[in-house]
Amino acid sequence: MAGPWTFTLLCGLLAATLIQATLSPTAVLILGPKVIKEKLTQELKDHNATSILQQLPLLSAMREKPAGGIPVLGSLVNTVLKHIIWLKVITANILQLQVKPSANDQELLVKIPLDMVAGFNTPLVKTIVEFHMTTEAQATIRMDTSASGPTRLVLSDCATSHGSLRIQLLHKLSFLVNALAKQVMNLLVPSLPNLVKNQLCPVIEASFNGMYADLLQLVKVPISLSIDRLEFDLLYPAIKGDTIQLYLGAKLLDSQGKVTKWFNNSAASLTMPTLDNIPFSLIVSQDVVKAAVAAVLSPEEFMVLLDSVLPESAHRLKSSIGLINEKEASSEAQFYTKGDQLILNLNNISSDRIQLMNSGIGWFQPDVLKNIITEIIHSILLPNQNGKLRSGVPVSLVKALGFEAAESSLTKDALVLTPASLWKPSSPVSQ
């Protein structure tokens, strides 16, 4: 299994180089509802959302618009409130978020359950009168195309869900205190939704903006490929079903930071696998994968002393070459790559020299050497090339999305990365 900082692309990368279909080169990062919930939950923690709930000015809200502004009821409210010394939220929790497709196409509905215990102090009793409050904030994730810049995802229409508010007295006390508590709870019914909308919704919107910015920054983290690197950029976002999809362009850069190849065409032709409860999926087109492999396996030339390394193969090679021309028998072989071509050079014999041999000794039969060359390739060249791939290609988004490792699979036109471990959701936001 890959270490905590590195995901190893070995078999998938090698196999992808053999795919022959032509494809518009790009990549797509698909985020399922589990990842969206996890990232947004963490952002709510980072933005101290529960502290905002604990600081809700409940008493001030009831005083500002008592009983809907009706004068007679307002007088009654003032009578109730004069018996209240203080009123505040004691504990607050944000429970497990829900992310579902909206009734409107290409939108996601986010539900954020709120669980609070509030209390007030009154001269009528020495203990704090506590009551349990539950409600649900609800917002929509949609694509914003109205701005002059590129299309982006935004969170809007934040408010409390209709009919979700529940307030219940935790402990019954005297008849007089219970009656007072009931009046306080009745006054909170119109006040709490406005407080959530005005105080918490801006925090929820800021949390989503932070999550979205982090995701965009995450996909831009360079992937090291030996001395080169691969970078992705957002082309445009989309919402499909219950997923967020980030369509990416890619570029290959050399050690000096110069772009050597662009991959920024539409990803419409990519085959999109269904997540089926998989938290995320990164789909990378075969053209990008091929370029990554080529960058890792850079052109080089090296020499193999067959007599020392593979003495039996050396003997067979000499015998086979001797059948062609005794003078050309050699104890050395050189392999090197040029582009995507693998070339064998026997004792510095060039292709021109082979042609001269053909005219001098008869037709050269390369099949005579086929089995021996294959054996040498498997014994020497492949271990050498695999050694370069063994350290793997680090893909930082795997860990950033909450996973220690990932696994790869191949479709007809792309390499697909998905989490290798089971999802472990974080705890609710509490204070």
Side-chain angles (χ1 to χ4, degrees):
M1 179 176 291
W5 293 99
T6 301
F7 164 63
T8 303
L9 297 172
L10 293 177
C11 297
L13 282 174
L14 290 174
T17 63
L18 302 178
I19 302 174
Q20 299 300 318
T22 301
L23 172 69
S24 298
T26 189
V28 182
L29 177 61
I30 303 177
L31 303 173
K34 293 180 180 179
V35 167
I36 300 170
K37 289 187 292 186
E38 182 74 8
K39 299 297 287 184
L40 186 53
T41 297
Q42 185 58 51
E43 284 289 337
L44 288 170
K45 290 181 180 179
D46 295 342
H47 282 77
N48 300 314
T50 53
S51 295
I52 299 299
L53 290 175
Q54 285 190 301
Q55 296 169 14
L56 291 178
L58 302 179
L59 195 58
S60 298
M62 291 191 300
R63 284 172 174 163
E64 285 178 1
K65 293 184 178 181
I70 301 176
V72 176
L73 295 180
S75 176
L76 178 61
V77 169
N78 292 331
T79 302
V80 172
L81 294 181
K82 71 180 182 180
H83 295 288
I84 306 299
I85 299 175
W86 56 258
L87 170 63
K88 64 181 180 180
V89 176
I90 300 173
T91 62
N93 296 278
I94 296 178
L95 305 182
Q96 190 68 39
L97 276 62
Q98 300 179 47
V99 177
K100 298 180 178 180
S102 171
N104 298 325
D105 191 29
Q106 296 187 342
E107 289 185 356
L108 291 176
L109 184 64
V110 180
K111 295 183 178 181
I112 306 175
L114 309 177
D115 184 277
M116 295 170 281
V117 172
F120 67 86
N121 193 4
T122 174
L124 301 178
V125 66
K126 295 181 179 180
T127 60
I128 297 175
V129 181
E130 295 181 332
F131 44 91
H132 185 213
M133 303 188 300
T134 61
T135 188
E136 183 180 79
Q138 182 173 296
T140 301
I141 299 174
R142 60 178 179 83
M143 290 184 292
D144 181 15
T145 58
S146 59
S148 57
T151 300
R152 67 183 310 272
L153 297 180
V154 296
L155 184 140
S156 61
D157 303 325
C158 180
T160 56
S161 302
H162 178 70
S164 65
L165 178 60
R166 299 288 185 273
I167 304 178
Q168 183 178 5
L169 188 65
L170 286 178
H171 308 288
K172 291 185 177 181
L173 300 170
S174 66
F175 175 80
L176 183 59
V177 173
N178 291 343
L180 177 62
K182 184 177 181 180
Q183 292 296 328
V184 171
M185 291 187 291
N186 288 340
L187 292 173
L188 282 174
V189 170
S191 302
L192 190 59
N194 289 331
L195 284 177
V196 171
K197 182 177 180 62
N198 296 329
Q199 303 287 328
L200 184 64
C201 279
V203 177
I204 296 174
E205 293 174 8
S207 297
F208 176 80
N209 291 337
M211 180 196 83
Y212 187 60
D214 286 347
L215 290 174
L216 297 187
Q217 188 63 35
L218 177 60
V219 299
K220 294 181 180 180
V221 174
I223 297 176
S224 178
L225 303 171
S226 184
I227 61 174
D228 297 339
R229 67 179 186 268
L230 180 68
E231 294 183 3
F232 293 100
D233 292 296
L234 178 69
L235 297 179
Y236 57 91
I239 295 175
K240 294 186 177 181
D242 59 357
T243 68
I244 290 176
Q245 301 189 1
L246 302 179
Y247 287 78
L248 309 173
K251 56 188 175 184
L252 192 63
L253 300 92
D254 61 18
S255 59
Q256 304 300 317
K258 180 181 179 181
V259 177
T260 57
K261 193 168 186 179
W262 289 94
F263 307 91
N264 56 3
N265 293 330
S266 171
S269 59
L270 277 174
T271 301
M272 299 295 176
T274 56
L275 287 188
D276 292 332
N277 262 345
I278 298 175
F280 79 89
S281 179
L282 175 63
I283 302 118
V284 184
S285 72
Q286 60 153 312
D287 287 350
V288 175
V289 174
K290 286 180 179 180
V293 173
V296 174
L297 302 178
S298 55
E300 66 173 329
E301 180 177 336
F302 64 94
M303 181 178 293
V304 178
L305 300 177
L306 290 181
D307 280 337
S308 302
V309 180
L310 296 173
E312 293 184 5
S313 297
H315 177 73
R316 292 169 53 203
L317 183 61
K318 293 176 185 179
S319 301
S320 299
I321 295 177
L323 295 176
I324 303 171
N325 189 330
E326 185 66 32
K327 294 181 180 180
E328 301 300 335
S330 171
S331 62
E332 297 177 350
Q334 294 175 320
F335 295 92
Y336 63 96
T337 58
K338 185 177 292 184
D340 57 357
Q341 300 295 314
L342 177 64
I343 300 171
L344 171 66
N345 189 3
L346 295 175
N347 198 26
N348 296 321
I349 299 176
S350 67
S351 59
D352 292 338
R353 175 59 183 154
I354 292 176
Q355 294 299 323
L356 291 175
M357 288 170 54
N358 288 345
S359 62
I361 64 174
W363 289 109
F364 178 63
Q365 298 291 337
D367 288 344
V368 175
L369 303 180
K370 181 177 180 180
N371 292 337
I372 301 174
I373 293 174
T374 300
E375 179 182 337
I376 295 172
I377 289 174
H378 287 162
S379 301
I380 298 175
L381 181 61
L382 287 183
N384 176 271
Q385 300 296 68
N386 286 338
K388 299 175 184 177
L389 294 172
R390 191 167 293 120
S391 60
V393 176
V395 182
S396 58
L397 70 83
V398 175
K399 186 174 179 65
L401 293 177
F403 296 90
E404 295 298 321
E407 58 189 18
S408 64
S409 60
L410 290 172
T411 66
K412 66 179 182 179
D413 49 25
L415 174 68
V416 180
L417 308 183
T418 54
S421 56
L422 295 177
W423 181 259
K424 295 181 180 180
S426 63
S427 57
V429 184
S430 60
Q431 184 76 28

